[in-house]
Amino acid sequence: MKKYILILLASVVLFASCDDFLSEPPNKSESIVPSSTEHLEFLLNDYTQFDAEGNLDFIFGTDDFGLMTSLYDNKPSVYDIGVAHYATWDVEYLPVQEDRGYYSAEWKKIFAANLVLGSLGTVSGTDAEKEALKAEAHFIRAYSYYQMVNTYCLPYAAENMDELGLPVKASTSFEESAERVSLQETWDFILADLEEAFKLTRNLEMEGDYYRSWRASTPAINAFAARVYLVMGDYTKAQSYAQAALNAHDNMMDYNTDMSYSTIPKQASDGQGGYVDLFMPWTSDAQGAAPYRMEWEELYYFRFLYNGYWNYFPSEELIALYDQTNDLRFKYHFVQNYSYDRGLTISHPGYIFFFDKIPSGPTVAEMLLVKAECQARLGQWSEGISTANILRAKRMDNSADASAINLSASSQDEAIAEILEERRRELPFTQRFIDVRRFNNNDYAADDVEMTRNFYPVGENVIEFSKGVQTLTLEKKSRKFARPLPQSDIDVTQGVLQQNTY
């Protein structure tokens, strides 16, 4: 019976598409009403409804991703037209593209959170159970709003606060407007949810052999708050929340002892009649098995950037940031010759973590980097370097010279630059888009980033290689940092949901 209820509850979320959520109520015969806190616990325990973040703008839309003419020339199909649209920051054709599922997926999570909140007044259960569920639902909602506001809206900045934010959905009622409120109101909504989330008092507990990171915990909420305030430029609060998370849970994976290559052989044809061995990390084994990902005990919250194209091709710029001799992240995550697995006949590495997934939820490593960055920006730059070196001790070959293991700096500016490079090495693809947005909108010009692509023009349905290579630039204050909403969602609301302007 419990399993049956869980499936029904999950179905409410799974099949309530963004279109449905923003406009039309589902058929009453296709939904059920939970009657106990136990039912709501089942819903939130189903991590498969929450853990995937298929944000293609994050995956393909930064200088971490390699959009290269050399790969295209070798095998044009290596870049699907949709990948090319994301990678060139298109706003003309992307709205009508079919693979825009991330927007709907985050609304489904918000729907689930609102389902919990809307049910608490009628379900049976203790007050303590209801209060914990309420706080967790606010956390889930805040997390998804944060992800979307940093994808589909302009960056957090004083001059942008009157710009378009997101629709505010505080319930499962289909009477709520799909109209977008201001960016200020959206951030206020996130912060209000975060305040409610902090009423949850729960450690990051063990369940069997794994930390229960698929459910909210006080350390996870602190880690998320550190992210929020880092984007807002409040470095004092960001550091405080990062430290609170670290105080509660600071377990780390030591790449010297906890990482290894897969024992499952993988070969790929080189297209020349031969084969090459691909040395994949153990984390790529059993890619669909959640327990492998649960073993990554650094995670505060069980979320993963998901790439259905299986092509996290790192850019040459990203590759060059690593000490290729001593950095064990390069050894294990940059799988040499991975391009052969994608059918190319020239060699290029792939960034492989959990094969098609990269941890995107807050981690202990990220909190060390948040703390280090905040220390450096607040003037304690020497302490910031020391904090970053706690991370490097777990990532660099411990047989290397100390000068190779540890970062060093002789000034605040140099320390900030070193720490931000370390952040990029540790968190490629998952945090780069948000980072570039905040770098370009803070009051520190030295960290600004202007991203460029040297690639062929990309039309509606074809990459126009015959026109030659062009240079495309995403300017620091470009409105394209607010990625376009799916046109299908705008259409279903009859234009109430407004598209970004460019």
Side-chain angles (χ1 to χ4, degrees), residues 387-461:
T387 300
N389 284 336
I390 297 173
L391 168 63
R392 284 179 67 87
K394 303 294 186 181
R395 300 301 193 247
M396 306 299 289
D397 189 330
N398 58 18
S399 66
D401 291 339
S403 60
I405 296 174
N406 295 316
L407 299 177
S408 61
S410 57
S411 69
Q412 181 180 22
D413 288 343
E414 188 176 345
I416 292 173
E418 290 285 348
I419 291 166
L420 294 185
E421 282 193 355
E422 187 65 19
R423 179 178 172 88
R424 190 174 174 189
R425 283 187 287 265
E426 178 66 26
L427 305 168
F429 297 99
T430 63
Q431 299 300 311
R432 182 63 174 170
F433 189 76
I434 294 177
D435 281 348
V436 172
R437 286 164 53 100
R438 67 183 179 91
F439 295 160
N440 291 345
N441 288 275
N442 61 21
D443 57 1
Y444 182 72
D447 64 4
D448 289 0
V449 176
E450 191 166 78
M451 296 187 289
T452 61
R453 299 288 200 200
N454 294 311
F455 197 66
Y456 304 116
V458 181
E460 181 177 5
N461 298 305

Side-chain angles (χ1 to χ4, degrees), residues 134-151:
K134 178 182 177 182
E136 184 166 5
H138 280 289
F139 172 64
I140 291 169
R141 191 168 70 185
Y143 195 100
S144 286
Y145 263 97
Y146 171 86
Q147 291 294 108
M148 289 201 293
V149 79
N150 282 294
T151 304

Side-chain angles (χ1 to χ4, degrees), residues 107-166:
W107 280 115
K108 292 173 189 175
K109 297 170 189 178
I110 292 169
F111 186 95
N114 285 336
L115 177 64
V116 172
L117 292 171
S119 302
L120 291 173
T122 58
V123 298
S124 63
T126 68
D127 289 343
E129 289 169 341
K130 292 179 182 180
E131 287 302 310
L133 284 164
K134 178 182 177 182
E136 184 166 5
H138 280 289
F139 172 64
I140 291 169
R141 191 168 70 185
Y143 195 100
S144 286
Y145 263 97
Y146 171 86
Q147 291 294 108
M148 289 201 293
V149 79
N150 282 294
T151 304
Y152 303 109
C153 305
L154 288 173
Y156 184 93
E159 64 266 28
N160 291 336
M161 285 300 143
D162 290 332
E163 296 277 359
L164 288 174
L166 296 166

Side-chain angles (χ1 to χ4, degrees), residues 224-256:
F224 172 62
R227 277 188 176 179
V228 170
Y229 284 104
L230 188 67
V231 166
M232 295 174 66
D234 190 332
Y235 303 122
T236 300
K237 283 188 177 180
Q239 180 180 340
S240 176
Y241 285 120
Q243 187 63 62
L246 291 167
N247 289 344
H249 180 83
D250 62 358
N251 292 26
M252 295 194 70
M253 304 294 290
D254 189 335
Y255 276 48
N256 288 279

